Amino acid sequence: MSAKKPVQWLVVAVVQEPDIVQTMDAAEASGAPVVYLSSTGGFLGNGNATLLIGLPAGLEERIISEFHQICRHRVEYMTMPIEGAPIPLPTPIPVQVGGATIFALPVERFEEM
Ligand code: 2BA
C-alpha cells in the first residue's frame, strides 16, 4: 500500500451553482477529498458553493487551471430603484459573476483522526 502524500495546500473555491458538479468531479478525479459548503454571495444573494480541497504540493496549480476552464463568466441582473422616479421602477443592472473566486492557502498542519 502506498503512503498518502501530505496535504500541503488548502484550495477554497467559491463557484457558481451551474459549475458545481463539474468542479467537484475535477477535484475528485485528482484524488482529493472535497468538502462542499452551500453558501450565498453577500452582494447578489445568489446561492453558490464553497469547496474546500486539501491537496499535496504540486496539485494546486492543476486544479486551479481546470477550474479556470470549467467556471464560466455569467451576467446576472440586480434590480435597483431609479433615483427621483415617482414610483419605484426597478432598473435591472447587469453584474458580471465568475468564473470562480479561489484562495490557495499553505496548510500548517493537517490531521485525520
Ligand atoms: P456576490 O458577493 O454575490 O457577488 C456577485 C458578483 O457581484 C461578483 O462576482 C462581482 O462581480 C459583483 N460584486 C460583488 N461585490 C460587489 C461590489 N461591492 N460592487 C460591485 N460589484 C460587486 P464575483 O467577483 O465573481 O464573485 C462571486 C462570488 O464569490 C461572490 O458573490 C462571493 O460569494 C464570492 N467572493 C468574491 N470575492 C470574494 C472575496 N474577496 N472574499 C470572499 N468571497 C468572495
Side-chain angles (χ1 to χ4, degrees):
M1 198 172 79
S2 65
K4 267 193 188 174
K5 289 186 182 164
V7 170
Q8 292 187 317
W9 285 94
L10 174 64
V11 172
V12 178
V14 183
V15 301
Q16 296 173 70
E17 236 156 24
D19 300 324
I20 294 170
V21 171
Q22 258 192 291
T23 47
M24 284 191 66
D25 286 351
E28 280 164 1
S30 74
V34 180
V35 174
Y36 169 104
L37 303 173
S38 181
S39 47
T40 305
F43 189 67
L44 291 180
N46 288 348
N48 53 28
T50 302
L51 307 181
L52 307 183
I53 309 161
L55 295 167
L59 279 186
E60 71 283 2
E61 288 303 334
R62 201 172 91 189
I63 287 279
I64 291 169
S65 76
E66 283 184 37
F67 280 22
H68 269 290
Q69 289 174 25
I70 294 167
C71 297
R72 302 260 171 263
H73 290 269
R74 296 185 179 86
V75 176
E76 300 284 338
Y77 290 87
M78 63 182 295
T79 50
M80 288 180 77
I82 299 173
E83 214 175 301
I87 49 167
L89 291 171
T91 324
I93 309 281
V95 177
Q96 182 171 297
V97 187
T101 301
I102 296 178
F103 305 84
L105 301 88
V107 171
E108 283 188 10
R109 181 170 169 171
F110 171 77
E111 291 192 26
E112 278 180 312
M113 292 168 214

